[in-house]
Every structure is written in structure tokens, then in C-alpha cells.
């Protein structure tokens, strides 16, 4: 049986939950608020490219778990790895569900993504994603783990 990035991400989420601390003085966020942040993340990707969105929404020590490729560690390395494709493709997504920890400091969202050519809007890739979110001391949410799995394009 092949292990994929989403299962690795869920394992990391379970491990992170044990280490999480609630930012002082901030009320827990409900899932609707976190889903809205994820939609804003997608809109930033549409407007500024996937690399730009990753640069804006990842924590410094983030991990990206691309399908069929080794993990990429750290926001600067992740952004650099995505620069070339960001110029060729627009990646957007729509979260479908998720959860926020009762402590209000960790959450996860999942949904479906679509990548299209910038030149003509032709779809080139689609699939599912999982984002593990970490609440920052200022109350904002940033992605700790980004994982995805590609789904075959319709013929």
C-alpha cells in the first residue's frame, strides 16, 4: 500500500495537536472563519500566483508534501520550488470542510484544487488538498503543512 501526502499530513496534525498552545487572549475561531481564510488564500493565489500566496500564508517552518515528490521544508524553499510553475499556471481551490481544535490554535481544511494555464485558461491539473493551519499570536492563521493529491483529468 502506498502512503500519500494527505495521510502524512494527518499524522503531522495529530503530532502537532499535542504540542499546540493557545495564543493568549484570543477566542477560539470557528470553522467558518477558517474556511474563509482558506478561500482568501485561494484568491491570493489567483491574483498573485501560487508562489506569492504560499509566501503570504505559510509559516516560516512550513512543510509541503507534493504528490510523488520529496517533502519540501521551509517557506523560502517552498516558494522557490513553485516560482517557475506560478508563472505558467494559476492554481485555485475551494475548501469543502475542516475542523478547528477546541483550543483554537490549530485547524485543518481540505478541498479540491484546479490548475489552469495562464496563457489560455486550459485546465492542466486537479485534485484534493489538505492544509494544516496554525494560529499565530496576532490571531491570524498560517499554513503549517500543505499536502495534495492529483486526480486524473477527464478525457
Amino acid at each position: 500500500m502506498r502512503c500519500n501526502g494527505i495521510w502524512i499530513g494527518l499524522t503531522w496534525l495529530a503530532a502537532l495537536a499535542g504540542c499546540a498552545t493557545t495564543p493568549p487572549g484570543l477566542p477560539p475561531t470557528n470553522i467558518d472563519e477558517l474556511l474563509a481564510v482558506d478561500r482568501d488564500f485561494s484568491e491570493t493565489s489567483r491574483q498573485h500566483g501560487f508562489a506569492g500566496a504560499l509566501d503570504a500564508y505559510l509559516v516560516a517552518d512550513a512543510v509541503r508534501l507534493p504528490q510523488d515528490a520529496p517533502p519540501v521544508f521551509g517557506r523560502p524553499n517552498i516558494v522557490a520550488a513553485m516560482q517557475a510553475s506560478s508563472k505558467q499556471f494559476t492554481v485555485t481551490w475551494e475548501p469543502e470542510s475542516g475542523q478547528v481544535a477546541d483550543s483554537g490554535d490549530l485547524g485543518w481544511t481540505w478541498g479540491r484544487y484546479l490548475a489552469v494555464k495562464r496563457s489560455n485558461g486550459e485546465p492542466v491539473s486537479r485534485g484534493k488538498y489538505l492544509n494544516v493551519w496554525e494560529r499565530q499570536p496576532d490571531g491570524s492563521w498560517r499554513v503549517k503543512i500543505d499536502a495534495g493529491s492529483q486526480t486524473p483529468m477527464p478525457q
Side-chain angles (χ1 to χ4, degrees), residues 20-89:
T21 59
T22 304
L26 296 173
T29 299
N30 67 42
I31 188 57
D32 292 332
E33 292 173 22
L34 185 55
L35 292 171
V37 173
D38 199 4
R39 286 184 191 96
D40 290 344
F41 182 21
S42 176
E43 180 60 18
T44 301
S45 179
R46 187 186 68 73
Q47 290 181 12
H48 303 286
F50 191 44
L54 291 168
D55 195 31
Y57 278 85
L58 295 182
V59 295
D61 63 344
V63 178
R64 185 155 197 279
L65 303 169
Q67 181 172 315
D68 298 329
V72 183
F73 298 95
R75 182 178 58 227
N77 296 327
I78 295 167
V79 170
M82 300 310 300
Q83 285 292 353
S85 64
S86 254
K87 293 175 183 169
Q88 298 172 3
F89 306 104

Side-chain angles (χ1 to χ4, degrees), residues 1-10 65-68 147-149:
M1 182 160 90
R2 191 179 119 175
C3 180
N4 68 36
I6 290 181
W7 290 113
I8 292 169
L10 289 173
L65 303 169
Q67 181 172 315
D68 298 329
S149 63

